Amino acid sequence: MAGGTERILRRRIKSVQSTKKITKAMELIAASRIMKAQQRVNAARPYSEQITEVIRNLAAAGAGSASPLLQQPESIETVAFVVVAGDRGLAGGYNTNVIREAERSMAALKAQGKQTRLVTVGKKPTAYFRFRGYEIDHAFQGFSDEPKYEDARGVAEAVVKRFETGEYDQVEIVTTQFISSGTQRVVQRRFVPLELDDAAESTGPSADYEFEPGPGEILDRLLPRYAEARLYAALLEGSASFFAAQQRAMKSATDNAEELITKLSRVMNRARQDSITTEIMEIVSGSEALRAGQSGAGDLKADNALSVGDVLHSHGHGHHHTADHTH
């Protein structure tokens, strides 16, 4: 019984060791990809900041009053949510936290009598909301690990088109903000209409610009790029956050595997000791039984020899008496 237990434990230890190798490799890969993702976030930030500054100056110059992307609707009846999560799992609560935040916000708006629409970015949110019976207007996937600007442009065009036609009154982005490799948080931000009121207020000196062509035409060209840049930044931060979450999850899994291997090894050693003790006891018991058997066999031989002697002696006396009688 102990030997069978030992074999089972040895197989389990080998299985956990194999799993540990996988999780350790994934941890190292995620750690290396965090750096690359963080570099992409930092590289895209100057473009986003500059285009934002230009649009602020254009808005301050009085442009954009007729642009649908800057128009605040009189009443908000339909709010669309762009949910940015991952194509893959094994990243702790990364996907779940984003999905829950979006679902919570959508439920709150529905309770107010408003309609909600859904655009998903990533296989995980798409699968979740489809399984729950949500209607998804657009589903994008396959680029959450390394999003490109063209990916952001495709998502932005689909969303902005519906906003400009009046199908959406407001669009919110739910994603994960990358603060550092150890800190990320789920955020919900306005996507369109664009919020530039706070940015238009300048606390320092501002330069005067001459616009060619006019500010309105420039703004009309820049606003779609601005929407794409904001969405691209959200995708990049989501990618960096995914790898950070995966690295933490895989490190935790590796540590747990190491702890489980230690525990199973202790149990296996105990089982091996029990097995050895049982074998020793069986050997001792067998030896004692053999010794007892040999001792009993010696006594039996002596008794048998005595009985035969008695028989032979008795037989000789019988012959003697018979001879005398004949004489």
Side-chain angles (χ1 to χ4, degrees), residues 79-92:
V79 179
F81 285 82
V82 180
V83 183
V84 180
D87 287 324
R88 297 182 291 121
L90 299 177

Side-chain angles (χ1 to χ4, degrees), residues 154-281:
V155 179
E157 285 178 354
V159 174
V160 169
K161 183 178 180 181
R162 287 177 180 264
F163 175 79
E164 289 178 338
T165 58
E167 192 173 342
Y168 299 157
D169 296 324
Q170 183 175 310
V171 181
E172 301 281 329
I173 296 180
V174 184
T175 185
T176 307
Q177 181 183 9
F178 181 84
I179 300 171
S180 67
S181 59
T183 307
Q184 303 87 39
R185 66 165 176 244
V186 177
V187 292
Q188 178 177 323
R189 296 169 176 165
R190 172 85 66 82
F191 181 50
V192 287
L194 303 175
E195 297 177 295
L196 295 172
D197 295 339
D198 56 341
E201 299 176 3
S202 178
T203 56
S206 60
D208 292 331
Y209 294 93
E210 291 185 2
F211 299 102
E212 180 66 32
E217 187 177 348
I218 295 175
L219 190 64
D220 288 341
R221 293 182 182 180
L222 283 182
L223 280 175
R225 306 288 85 79
Y226 177 60
E228 294 166 5
R230 292 192 67 187
L231 190 53
Y232 184 49
L235 294 179
L236 289 177
E237 290 202 45
S239 173
S241 299
F242 169 79
F243 289 121
Q246 187 177 65
Q247 193 251 351
R248 284 198 309 273
M250 292 300 98
K251 184 181 186 307
S252 177
T254 303
D255 293 343
N256 290 339
E258 183 66 37
E259 184 179 351
L260 184 57
I261 290 170
T262 302
K263 289 181 179 179
L264 290 174
S265 296
R266 288 174 181 169
V267 175
M268 188 183 70
N269 290 336
R270 195 174 300 117
R272 183 182 298 140
Q273 290 172 358
D274 292 343
S275 176
I276 293 171
T277 302
T278 302
E279 289 177 3
I280 291 173
M281 293 298 295

Side-chain angles (χ1 to χ4, degrees), residues 298-308:
D299 294 341
L300 183 61
K301 285 180 181 179
D303 292 342
N304 290 340
L306 183 62
S307 300
V308 170

Side-chain angles (χ1 to χ4, degrees), residues 306-324:
L306 183 62
S307 300
V308 170
D310 291 342
V311 170
L312 290 175
H313 185 265
S314 169
H315 187 64
H317 277 294
H319 283 291
H320 179 68
H321 288 304
T322 308
D324 290 344

Side-chain angles (χ1 to χ4, degrees), residues 27-105:
E27 175 191 348
L28 296 175
I29 293 171
S32 68
R33 298 186 78 175
I34 289 173
M35 301 300 296
K36 295 179 182 177
Q38 192 171 3
Q39 289 171 0
R40 288 197 298 269
V41 171
N42 295 334
R45 195 165 285 155
Y47 172 77
S48 178
E49 291 174 352
Q50 288 299 319
I51 194 171
T52 301
E53 185 65 25
V54 171
I55 289 177
R56 287 173 178 171
N57 290 324
L58 289 169
S65 58
S67 174
L69 292 179
L70 293 176
Q71 291 294 317
Q72 302 296 326
E74 295 181 1
S75 63
I76 298 174
E77 300 297 331
T78 303
V79 179
F81 285 82
V82 180
V83 183
V84 180
D87 287 324
R88 297 182 291 121
L90 299 177
Y94 170 77
N95 294 309
T96 304
N97 293 337
V98 174
I99 291 170
R100 284 179 178 172
E101 177 66 23
E103 206 168 25
R104 210 165 20 236
S105 299

